[in-house]
Amino acid sequence: MSVYPAVAGRHARLPHWASLPVVVAVVGLSVTMLVTGVLHQSEQRRAELLLDRQAAAVEAAVAAEANRYTDALTDLTAAIGAQTSLTAADYTAIMSGLSLQRLYGASAVSLIMPSSTAELPDPSEAWNTDPRADALVPDARALPHRYVVLNRTLDGSASEVGRDVSGVEPAREAMDLAVQRGLPTASRTYVLRKDERRLPAARRQLSFVVAAPVRASGAAGNGELRGWLAMSVRGQDFLERTLRNAAAGQVRVELSEVEGSTARRIAGWPQARTSSLAEGGIAGRADAADRIGATPSPSWQAAGVEYRWVEVAGRTWLLSVAPVAGFVQPDSALDTVVLVAGTMIALLLAALVGVLARSRDLALADVERATSALRADVARREEVEVELRRRERELAGFAGVAAHDLRSPLTAASAYLEVLADEDGDRLDGQGQEFLGRARSAVARTDRMLTDLLEYATAENVELNRAQVDLATIAADVVAERTDRMEPDPRRVTIGDLPVVSGDPGMLCQVLDNLIGNALKYTAPGSPPRVTVSAQRIERGWRIQVADRGIGIPADEREGVFDAFHRGAGSAGFSGSGLGLAICRRIIERHGGAMGVEDNVGGGSNFWFTLPDPPETC
């Protein structure tokens, strides 16, 4: 009776000759992609540096424009605070220079006085406020009242004197902060009341108020507080000319106010009703909350957009800069050449391995047919079986040599990545360091795949060095290493009483490491792993079990999980080469035992293997 039908039946699900070329192709393409990624990153870095410089220029222009407004307000505050008496004519004269300064977007400059009642305090008589301020309109929602006693409009609208602005929360907060800081302070953005009354919704802008304290001595930090000088500014008009000149037709610029993880657009160039830069920036980034806080990062890039924090009169706003069509883009010509050349080499190597593997399968089929026809010729069948075993050894040797030789370019790629990390890692931004980390991780993963392939090819022939092995100690070491970076959980892995057995310490450690690692890894998302390692005495040996509460294995796939390169339907989304369990079975069979898997009571899988007692000596 031939032994080959059983072998052929076990591999019917996936032809053996197709597995090895797939692995070789994946390894070759992975290395090619890594090299291409490193080259692409250098080109990408050049484009990012150009965008960073453009963003720095825009940031400097916005900061300079904001300083010009605050400097003007500081000068006006000092001039008014130095007055022992102030008339409406004096106020108009002091404000006469505003139009010459071309304060784009400024709507009005108002002198505001506090009062705890519906009347103005005594100092207002010395200042000879506008007669219209006598008709005060107190806001009952907030105290103290804050009345506009003098007003100079800059946008052609009618002057509004006598109104109480204490109910305008952003303006009230800005005035309080200005007193605390002793400097002009910007408010949160909002729509001006007169814009709500005069303009249709489509033409309204987000505006803000810059408030500065007015003290009797004229110095920001000394003297009695007499009131505030408040400049109301429309956001889009304020920054439109600055953004248009700084963008220079190469980038899109937006200035936004950030609250929590939400960015609200204040102004931008080119103009748009809604923000086009929020996606991939503040909204949608998992680390946005870390960047918006007491000490935010100065700048960062996400999805091709440069984000920077800019201070405007004591308030921090978010500046977003994105390239427009025609901006410098990475040169992909070299990337394409490397990618095409590497892909061709990987596919040629995979084709060669496929031909050899296919030849082996064809040889198996030829031997099967010859054995069926010459069943009576035992000598011939034994000769054919010897030839078949020789070919299997040659294929295993080829797999070992292939895995060993593939490590040379992989080692070179790893060395170059290490040099890049050591010498240029500090100059890479967050995204560059992330790409470098991914490349190093992919090289390490590829190295592990080649190690599995080499161990699988040599598992049947490596020398077995028997010794007394304490399985409890090995299991504890494996669990400690596997859970070193996990949160402490005493229920994660339970180790029962394990025996001392006869076997190869390194090989048995590899078996327990693979089984415990799989039990921890193949767990449904959101479910904590629960693993139990136990042993029971059987006739002339021990049965070791590793039970989990993971995703489980369907009954029709339990035998196939021990085949080389087999990946079950439920393992999609989990990393692995498909060789671990095949290596484990070979090791256990080398020790004279058996290995299998069954359902675990309550869910999950129960992997077991047996180890026979050593033969008794006289």
Side-chain angles (χ1 to χ4, degrees):
M1 178 178 176
S2 173
V3 298
Y4 295 106
V7 175
R10 196 169 68 216
H11 289 78
R13 290 180 296 275
L14 179 64
H16 185 277
W17 67 269
S19 303
L20 192 57
V22 169
V23 173
V24 173
V26 169
V27 171
L29 291 175
S30 299
V31 173
T32 300
M33 293 298 293
L34 288 175
V35 175
T36 304
V38 172
L39 293 175
H40 177 76
Q41 184 182 356
S42 64
E43 290 294 310
Q44 185 70 32
R45 178 60 178 166
R46 184 172 69 91
E48 291 174 356
L49 286 175
L50 292 177
L51 179 61
D52 182 74
R53 292 173 186 170
Q54 188 71 36
V58 173
E59 178 188 6
V62 172
E65 183 72 3
N67 289 336
R68 191 167 66 86
Y69 281 62
T70 56
D71 290 345
L73 193 61
T74 300
D75 294 342
L76 294 173
T77 303
I80 292 176
Q83 304 295 319
T84 55
S85 63
L86 181 69
T87 65
D90 295 334
Y91 184 79
T92 301
I94 293 173
M95 300 295 163
S96 62
L98 289 181
S99 59
L100 299 178
Q101 297 183 42
R102 304 178 67 83
L103 300 178
Y104 300 107
S107 171
V109 181
S110 305
L111 182 60
I112 301 171
M113 295 185 63
S115 175
S116 59
T117 66
E119 299 180 355
L120 289 174
D122 293 340
S124 62
E125 298 178 0
W127 276 11
N128 292 321
T129 57
D130 192 311
R132 290 176 296 170
D134 294 338
L136 302 178
V137 184
D139 191 332
R141 296 174 298 174
L143 286 174
H145 301 296
R146 306 181 190 209
Y147 297 110
V148 177
V149 297
L150 290 169
N151 180 260
R152 167 65 188 276
T153 61
L154 302 175
D155 59 358
S157 61
S159 177
E160 299 180 358
V161 180
R163 63 189 181 93
D164 182 4
V165 297
S166 61
V168 183
E169 184 177 350
R172 186 179 71 246
E173 292 176 354
M175 287 186 278
D176 292 341
L177 287 174
V179 173
Q180 296 175 15
R181 299 176 66 238
L183 295 171
T185 302
S187 72
R188 292 182 287 115
T189 56
Y190 67 102
V191 178
L192 298 177
R193 286 183 173 180
K194 64 179 179 181
D195 286 352
E196 290 180 342
R197 295 192 302 267
R198 296 171 50 243
L199 299 176
R203 293 180 55 194
R204 295 172 189 167
Q205 302 179 28
L206 282 177
S207 306
F208 59 94
V209 169
V210 182
V214 178
R215 296 186 180 274
S217 64
N222 302 312
E224 178 186 1
L225 178 68
R226 302 186 67 179
W228 298 269
L229 199 63
M231 178 186 294
S232 55
V233 184
R234 295 185 178 93
Q236 180 65 37
D237 294 341
F238 164 61
L239 286 172
E240 179 175 326
R241 182 162 303 189
T242 300
L243 297 179
R244 178 170 51 193
N245 293 338
Q250 293 185 323
V251 292
R252 293 179 292 126
V253 184
E254 290 186 3
L255 193 66
S256 305
E257 181 178 45
V258 177
E259 294 183 2
S261 60
T262 302
R264 182 168 63 166
R265 184 181 188 277
I266 300 174
W269 183 261
Q271 294 189 40
R273 294 300 301 170
T274 59
S275 175
S276 60
L277 305 180
E279 289 189 13
I282 294 300
R285 286 184 61 87
D287 55 350
D290 295 334
R291 291 201 167 99
I292 305 169
T295 56
S297 301
S299 65
W300 73 94
Q301 288 192 13
V305 181
E306 174 90 7
Y307 294 91
R308 286 175 172 263
W309 297 105
V310 60
E311 183 173 336
V312 176
R315 185 166 295 278
T316 302
W317 288 343
L318 180 65
L319 189 67
S320 310
V321 182
V324 298
F327 194 74
V328 176
Q329 298 295 330
D331 184 6
S332 60
L334 181 60
D335 300 351
T336 303
V337 171
V338 173
L339 181 61
V340 171
T343 301
M344 291 179 62
I345 293 173
L347 293 179
L348 287 174
L349 182 59
L352 176 61
V353 174
V355 169
L356 295 175
R358 178 59 174 165
S359 298
R360 175 188 178 277
D361 280 9
L362 292 175
L364 282 172
D366 292 339
V367 170
E368 173 61 25
R369 286 192 295 269
T371 304
S372 299
L374 304 173
R375 224 169 264 215
D377 192 354
V378 177
R380 176 60 180 166
R381 186 178 68 173
E382 290 178 351
E383 181 182 351
V384 172
E385 289 180 351
V386 169
E387 177 64 15
L388 178 60
R389 293 181 188 279
R390 185 182 67 81
R391 291 197 181 190
E392 288 179 342
R393 287 194 299 273
E394 289 177 353
L395 185 60
F398 170 79
V401 171
H404 181 272
D405 291 346
L406 285 174
R407 280 187 168 178
S408 296
L410 189 65
T411 301
S414 177
Y416 282 122
L417 291 175
E418 291 295 334
V419 171
L420 180 62
D422 293 338
E423 296 184 0
D424 298 324
D426 294 338
R427 289 183 291 176
L428 296 177
D429 60 359
Q431 188 179 32
Q433 292 180 354
E434 179 185 357
F435 284 169
L436 181 59
R438 288 182 180 179
R440 296 172 70 182
S441 176
V443 169
R445 187 167 61 251
T446 304
D447 184 71
R448 289 195 298 270
M449 291 174 63
L450 290 177
T451 299
D452 287 348
L453 182 61
L454 188 58
E455 289 178 349
Y456 175 75
T458 59
E460 265 190 339
N461 302 317
V462 68
E463 184 179 359
L464 196 66
N465 297 317
R466 283 188 177 272
Q468 292 297 105
V469 181
D470 187 351
L471 294 182
T473 301
I474 291 179
D477 292 341
V478 168
V479 171
E481 182 177 351
R482 286 284 184 174
T483 62
D484 179 52
R485 297 188 179 182
M486 296 182 181
E487 298 249 352
D489 184 354
R491 298 189 300 163
R492 183 179 290 118
V493 180
T494 302
I495 302 176
D497 294 330
L498 300 182
V500 176
V501 298
S502 173
D504 187 296
M507 291 185 178
L508 294 182
C509 179
Q510 185 176 1
V511 171
L512 284 177
D513 180 71
N514 191 283
L515 295 180
I516 294 175
N518 285 352
L520 292 172
K521 178 171 66 174
Y522 291 102
T523 303
S527 299
R530 294 290 181 263
V531 183
T532 302
V533 184
S534 61
Q536 67 182 83
R537 184 67 180 172
I538 60 175
E539 185 179 2
R540 299 180 182 178
W542 289 92
R543 173 184 165 112
I544 314 299
Q545 302 179 119
V546 179
D548 61 54
R549 298 292 183 189
I551 60 176
I553 301 174
D556 58 347
E557 290 190 10
R558 289 175 192 163
E559 179 62 24
V561 296
F562 296 99
D563 292 341
F565 307 109
H566 179 84
R567 299 279 290 168
S571 62
F574 295 92
S575 62
S577 63
L579 289 172
L581 291 177
I583 295 172
C584 289
R585 169 174 272 187
R586 284 192 173 185
I587 291 175
I588 295 302
E589 290 176 350
R590 289 285 307 280
H591 283 75
M595 190 171 189
V597 61
E598 58 193 24
D599 279 338
N600 188 21
V601 178
S605 302
N606 181 19
F607 282 85
W608 58 267
F609 61 91
T610 61
L611 292 173
D613 292 333
E616 296 182 0
T617 58
C618 298

